[in-house]
Amino acid sequence: MNAWWQNGLIYEIYPRSFQDSNGDGVGDLNGISERIGYCADLGVDAVWLSPIYPSPMADFGYDVSNYVNVDPLFGSLADFDRLLREIKRRGLKLILDFVPNHTSDQHPWFQASRRSRADPQRDWYLWRDAAADGGPPNNWLSNFGGSAWTWDAASQQYYYHSFLSQQPDLNWRHPAVVAAMHEAMRFWLRRGVDGFRIDVLWLLVKDAQWRDNPPNPAYRAGMPAFASQLPLYTSDGPETQTVIEGLRRVSDEFEGRILIGEIYLPVERLVRYYGTGLRGVQMPFNFQLLLLDWNARAISVAIDRYESLLPTGAWPNWVLGNHDRPRLASRIGAAQVRVAAMLLLTLRGTPTLYYGDEIGMSNGVIPRERVQDQLEKNVPGAGLGRDPCRTPMQWNPSPRAGFSTGEPWLPVGNDQTSVNVESESNDPSSLLSLYRRLIALRRAHRALTEGDYAPIVAADDVLAFIRHTTDERVLVVLNLAHGPQRLDLPEDIRCSAILLSTDPVPSDAAPAGQVHLRADEGIILALKPEAKRSA
């Protein structure tokens, strides 16, 4: 029998942007409590919250100053407990973001570490002497621009930070760090949290010899500076797997919990994070659909390769959007978001949906004076800024989209009059209505949740595959082109009924031996049982 997270659908909420309950322009826990009924009605199984911990907000919560509390901006522990009760009452699960690679420079641990070289917590972080010329110890670069080393004049050493200088990296080789982080996990697990999405999991352990990263031969002018190096010695170190096994042991102390790893690595390295004997994270996030060109052949090859590389017994997963990447509608075009929804919800494995993608939100337009993201400020003009994909959820057509009574922390999208929950809920042809039907169909057909995956050879820009169990077969056919397409079916495949089309106007799309698709259309069809072969 599958675990809850295998048959489920995960919905990511960026708390600053979901619902503001007190008029300060920033989303909060009580706002999420007010809207959790929407998540249940949509049909999701689990809600994942981006960080809610106390933080100076240099990186909007990914710079944690206390792992076992809630930032007052979002509410209190009592507000968290109230939200958790509401989530459980509706039969949903709650997943928290866990940020183990680095803390805030305002965390008491780093404050102690910085105080003196002799402090017991000095080695909780990565400190090094200057190079012979007085510069940084090596050539390592920050993912947020510039050197990854910051000089501390008081203690006359450099400290390492993979991201902002306000985000010093922890030393995961130190037993006390491991113990402290494990206990932070237990604090939330005891409270009833159902698991963690683990931030930048592949970066946790750095090279013990502090060797320079080699140059990237694929680097070209115009790419951000950190891409000029191959992160050979700052990511995906072999000891990372030992760290992950420790995290998994803590999670397994509590029944039915899930660990999900954020890992941006080629798929052949990604699958190692399932761990030996599947003792790693249950789901290393598979981001291929975020990064691939949107065409049927590239996606088909990626699916087949991923399926072939999965360890025996490993469970796949798919992601179309998150808080770090451009919005789906802006990335692939509004005409294809329906096809993308059908793809996400019919592939084998657990799907993760980013808030607002289900109504077709696109990248927001952020005037220069309203830019909040430090990444955009540090590397301007490189297209790396994440503010556009973090704009407030669009609940209704009002100027502030029903998000807040105050001025929102980021501008509301300029399409909120038509792209919003209220309008789309009342329109059976809307994207939101399609998502609800897709999720319901997924629940109603075991082939779509637990069935195997079998690709179908297709031409042009058509992607086709079968999901099947011993007693049910479902065919999914997706047109990734903006013109009509046709799929010629093998002789042993015959359709019995159209279960769902992305097109609001259904048609007889499956005459004998063929499937006809309109432009930008996807179709799910029930197949007739396979003919039994005679002995």
Side-chain angles (χ1 to χ4, degrees):
M1 183 176 177
N2 281 0
W4 66 264
W5 47 269
Q6 291 176 302
N7 286 359
L9 167 63
I10 298 170
Y11 185 80
E12 181 191 356
I13 290 175
Y14 194 68
R16 297 180 70 93
S17 298
F18 201 60
Q19 181 65 59
D20 172 23
S21 70
N22 60 9
D24 66 356
V26 178
D28 47 47
L29 295 179
N30 287 336
I32 298 171
S33 292
E34 292 174 10
R35 296 291 191 179
I36 203 65
Y38 165 79
C39 300
D41 292 343
L42 180 61
V44 306
D45 299 272
V47 169
W48 151 35
L49 302 184
S50 294
I52 56 171
Y53 314 108
S55 168
M57 298 294 168
D59 191 23
F60 299 114
Y62 285 95
D63 50 321
V64 178
S65 59
N66 182 352
Y67 284 99
V68 293
N69 210 330
V70 171
D71 194 283
L73 186 69
F74 299 125
S76 64
L77 273 175
D79 295 328
F80 174 84
D81 291 338
R82 187 180 309 112
L83 171 60
L84 185 57
R85 286 194 300 271
E86 279 297 302
I87 286 173
K88 302 289 187 177
R89 184 175 69 83
R90 295 177 182 274
L92 306 182
K93 308 287 186 180
L94 178 61
I95 297 167
L96 288 187
D97 227 306
F98 186 56
V99 190
N101 180 69
H102 48 265
T103 71
S104 165
D105 62 353
Q106 301 305 304
H107 197 294
W109 299 346
F110 187 71
Q111 293 291 295
S113 178
R114 196 174 205 170
R115 195 171 299 129
S116 164
R117 291 197 190 191
D119 192 279
Q121 289 184 302
R122 180 69 171 186
D123 291 336
W124 283 37
Y125 294 84
L126 303 175
W127 293 92
R128 298 293 292 168
D129 289 332
D133 63 359
N138 59 28
N139 73 344
W140 295 353
L141 297 175
S142 164
N143 289 280
F144 278 9
S147 172
W149 296 97
T150 288
W151 177 249
D152 181 63
S155 62
Q156 292 290 291
Q157 278 190 319
Y158 283 91
Y159 68 86
Y160 177 78
H161 48 91
S162 297
F163 298 96
L164 298 173
S165 61
Q166 299 99 314
Q167 294 171 288
D169 280 34
L170 285 161
N171 176 13
W172 272 90
R173 291 190 175 90
H174 198 299
V177 169
V178 174
M181 296 303 283
H182 285 182
E183 197 52 36
M185 291 174 66
R186 291 187 184 99
F187 174 87
W188 297 104
L189 292 167
R190 292 186 189 111
R191 225 168 184 94
V193 165
D194 297 287
F196 297 99
R197 173 268 190 185
I198 306 172
D199 187 56
V200 297
L201 183 60
W202 82 110
L203 299 183
L204 290 187
V205 182
K206 288 77 180 175
D207 181 48
Q209 299 178 53
W210 311 97
R211 287 170 284 188
D212 281 355
N213 276 326
N216 178 7
Y219 181 74
R220 299 291 181 270
M223 296 171 67
F226 61 78
S228 66
Q229 297 178 355
L230 296 175
L232 182 64
Y233 298 116
T234 48
S235 71
D236 195 28
E239 293 166 272
T240 308
Q241 301 301 323
T242 302
V243 171
I244 294 169
E245 289 171 6
L247 300 176
R248 177 66 180 271
R249 283 194 296 271
V250 173
S251 174
D252 284 351
E253 294 172 11
F254 303 81
E255 186 178 357
R257 312 305 166 94
I258 175 78
L259 295 182
I260 305 168
E262 182 196 24
I263 304 154
Y264 281 95
L265 288 174
V267 67
E268 66 273 10
R269 291 161 65 188
L270 170 77
V271 296
R272 296 205 305 256
Y273 283 71
Y274 285 101
T276 303
L278 302 183
R279 298 301 303 157
V281 294
Q282 288 100 323
M283 289 202 309
F285 257 150
N286 168 25
F287 293 130
Q288 292 182 88
L289 295 180
L290 287 173
L291 306 172
L292 286 170
D293 290 337
W294 192 255
N295 67 74
R297 299 286 69 78
I299 294 172
S300 178
V301 168
I303 296 169
D304 293 348
R305 187 159 184 269
Y306 178 57
E307 286 278 354
S308 71
L309 289 171
L310 286 169
T312 302
W315 189 253
N317 70 91
W318 295 92
V319 181
L320 272 177
N322 66 26
H323 61 280
D324 287 329
R325 297 285 165 170
R327 282 277 182 188
L328 177 66
S330 296
R331 196 168 73 246
I332 69 172
Q336 278 283 306
V337 293
R338 292 171 174 269
V339 171
M342 186 170 281
L343 176 65
L344 178 69
L345 292 167
T346 58
L347 283 171
R348 191 174 82 91
T350 301
T352 295
L353 176 63
Y354 184 49
Y355 86 96
D357 278 356
E358 75 276 16
I359 59 173
M361 284 176 60
S362 56
N363 285 349
V365 177
I366 314 297
R368 184 173 298 278
E369 66 274 10
R370 294 289 302 275
V371 168
Q372 304 287 330
D373 187 10
Q374 285 294 331
L375 178 55
E376 174 66 20
K377 292 178 180 180
N378 288 358
V379 194
L384 301 175
R386 300 162 298 176
D387 289 341
C389 68
R390 298 176 176 182
T391 56
M393 181 65 171
Q394 294 168 195
W395 296 104
N396 63 41
S398 67
R400 291 172 180 165
F403 165 72
S404 177
T405 58
E407 181 64 26
W409 76 287
L410 282 174
V412 170
N414 55 16
D415 59 356
Q416 96 283 356
T417 56
S418 57
V419 178
N420 65 78
V421 171
E422 182 181 293
S423 300
E424 295 190 33
S425 292
N426 298 321
D427 179 2
S429 67
S430 70
L431 180 62
L432 177 58
S433 294
L434 173 65
Y435 264 98
R436 287 173 171 163
R437 290 197 301 273
L438 278 166
I439 293 168
L441 186 72
R442 179 184 169 86
R443 288 188 186 283
H445 291 268
R446 201 165 65 86
L448 291 174
T449 52
E450 300 179 21
D452 290 333
Y453 167 88
I456 298 294
V457 175
D460 300 318
D461 218 0
V462 174
L463 175 65
F465 53 89
I466 292 175
R467 300 292 311 282
H468 61 96
T469 60
T470 54
D471 56 1
E472 182 183 33
R473 295 193 304 160
V474 173
L475 172 65
V476 180
V477 188
L478 305 170
N479 182 4
L480 277 68
H482 301 312
Q485 298 279 346
R486 186 185 80 192
L487 173 67
D488 294 320
L489 295 173
E491 288 186 5
D492 60 339
I493 296 177
R494 288 295 178 266
C495 304
S496 62
I498 297 175
L499 298 175
L500 185 63
S501 169
T502 59
D503 197 295
V505 181
S507 65
D508 181 10
Q514 296 178 339
V515 177
H516 291 265
L517 302 112
R518 299 183 179 97
D520 306 300
E521 183 182 20
I523 304 176
I524 303 174
L525 306 106
L527 296 182
K528 294 178 180 179
E530 289 184 277
K532 293 188 177 180
R533 296 178 174 87
S534 57

